[in-house]
Amino acid sequence: MFVDFDNVYSGLQRLDGDAAKSFAEDPARWVESFGTGSDADGPFTRRFLVRKCYLNPATFSRYRPHFTRAGFQVVDCPSLTQQGKSSADINLVLDAVDALNASTHFDEFIFLSADADFTPLIARCRAADRHVTIITSGPAAAAYRAAADSVLGADALITLLTAAESNGSDAAPLADDAPPVTSALTVAPSTIAPPTRVAAMSAVRHLAESSPHPVALSAAAAAALRAEPDLRESSWDNSGSFSSWLQSSLPDLRVDTRAPGHVWDPARFSEADVPIPPEPSVTRTPDQEELHRQVSSITEVPPLSQASYRALLEQLAFDLALYPFSRTETSKRVRDECAQSDRPVGRAAVNFVINGLLFAGADLEGEPSASDLAAVWSENVLGLCRGARIELSAEDLDEVTTWVSGGLVAVVPSNM
């Protein structure tokens, strides 16, 4: 087993801090979980003859004792360049090649890294008739994964790393069999709001009473948080969501929790005044459809329609305005709400988009708009295309951007 620590830990940090902590501080547990497996011949057990971990001591030396206690030989790989790149890659490759030529015949090589630079090494191991397993903590090139015999992706790795912490409460976060969360027009019974939230209540009430139309829930949530920023950290006074807090704190206002969600003063508006987002009408040429298929098949970007991408991004922005971001719970709610709005999107597709946003640096802890998310996501997709060496014309770039952004990112036609 060869662990590219810097690569795996950094990837996990972007996706799930708890998983990164488990990976770095409790390697004995997750190594033990790799001790068993199954293939075409049935269940089997693994015995790791070599365990090596490659890390930059200037940054990650505090994690060395955890890997030493777990039976790893820790190889220090300090930075040797002005750009800060460590020597982990070359050390790992040299050790793996030595293992291939050793007198001991190693049946399987397991590499923990999403670095596609290791693709030739994997091909070398396969040519020597060794089983190769790669474990990634983030997006990995299709050619890199295709070169291996088996692959454990980021979602499965995070599930494994966080299983103990969740105590079985959500042992299968990728399951698609959870019942959808229903959304409906609701009016909660009157309750006494905490007196310390007068400022937030006043801000929302003023917005609802002065707006020329029903107010988007995301805008109302932003107004409440500007008045009392700690509301969100308190899980909306333990209500669990902004809409629940709103319904209990201001029961005289009306709330529609169907995405994108609205609140209004019933003395001024009715449910009929709630704006319904127009359904995009898009006609694709055969060439454009072929472009979509090419991008999706090579980069593994979910092959959703433009309307489904728009629904996903709008629902994600809506969810982030109401709830603190939690990778598992957020993706569940977005999946369920998309299904509720007759735009079903699979959980894997939602996770793919969220992972892409996180790796592209999107701040999901804030309150990004759907357009903000669409801009980051579409740029991430174009980056995947560049990395896969897909040649795109200016018109192709515009088409891909429009498609994966759900039409939320304006593009200027190249002939203008």
Side-chain angles (χ1 to χ4, degrees), residues 48-302:
F48 293 103
L49 304 182
V50 173
R51 303 180 187 179
K52 289 193 175 184
C53 175
Y54 305 82
L55 58 76
N56 186 338
T59 309
F60 300 116
S61 61
R62 65 187 179 277
Y63 298 121
R64 180 207 309 272
H66 302 297
F67 279 81
T68 300
R69 286 198 300 270
F72 280 84
Q73 177 186 348
V74 179
V75 181
D76 285 340
C77 302
S79 173
L80 302 176
T81 69
Q82 293 182 346
Q83 290 74 30
K85 182 175 175 58
S86 77
S87 56
D89 292 6
I90 187 63
N91 278 298
L92 190 156
V93 169
L94 289 172
D95 286 347
V97 172
D98 285 345
L100 273 178
N101 297 321
S103 56
T104 301
H105 181 88
F106 298 99
D107 296 320
E108 182 179 15
F109 286 70
I110 297 180
F111 299 100
L112 275 74
S113 179
D115 192 342
D117 288 349
F118 293 130
T119 303
L121 173 63
I122 292 176
R124 178 76 174 271
C125 294
R126 289 286 301 278
D129 194 22
R130 313 301 173 91
H131 189 97
V132 177
T133 297
I134 61 173
I135 300 172
T136 71
S137 60
Y144 176 54
R145 288 181 285 103
D149 293 287
S150 54
V151 180
L152 187 73
D155 290 320
L157 177 60
I158 289 172
T159 299
L160 182 151
L161 291 170
T162 57
E165 286 76 5
S166 64
N167 293 318
S169 62
D170 190 13
L174 303 183
D176 248 330
D177 56 356
V181 177
T182 58
S183 293
L185 182 66
T186 56
V187 181
S190 177
T191 59
I192 299 176
T196 57
R197 300 308 182 187
V198 172
M201 293 163 56
S202 297
V204 174
R205 183 180 296 282
H206 174 74
L207 187 61
E209 292 179 348
S210 61
S211 173
H213 45 70
V215 178
L217 280 184
S218 57
L225 291 173
R226 282 193 296 270
E228 300 191 46
D230 66 316
L231 250 177
R232 189 169 186 172
E233 283 68 26
S234 69
S235 190
W236 300 101
D237 279 339
N238 298 317
S239 297
S241 70
F242 171 68
S243 58
S244 296
W245 175 85
L246 180 61
Q247 291 165 7
S248 63
S249 300
L250 296 168
D252 56 313
L253 299 180
R254 297 296 182 263
V255 179
D256 183 355
T257 60
R258 292 169 295 186
H262 291 85
V263 57
W264 66 90
D265 178 1
R268 304 173 61 228
F269 303 107
S270 69
E271 184 179 357
D273 297 307
V274 176
I276 300 175
E279 190 74 14
S281 177
V282 181
T283 302
R284 301 292 180 197
T285 67
D287 286 345
Q288 289 171 329
E289 294 290 352
E290 178 58 32
L291 174 63
H292 294 190
R293 284 192 291 270
Q294 179 190 22
V295 169
S296 181
S297 64
I298 295 177
T299 67
E300 297 189 342
V301 166

Side-chain angles (χ1 to χ4, degrees), residues 6 38 122 144 177 184-185 198 238 251 279 305 329 338 342 365 387 398:
D6 301 25
S38 61
I122 292 176
Y144 176 54
D177 56 356
L185 182 66
V198 172
N238 298 317
E279 190 74 14
S305 68
E329 296 303 321
C338 285
D342 297 324
E365 302 291 345
D398 290 346

Side-chain angles (χ1 to χ4, degrees), residues 341-352:
S341 62
D342 297 324
R343 282 291 176 191
V345 177
R347 184 75 178 281
V350 177
N351 278 328
F352 193 100

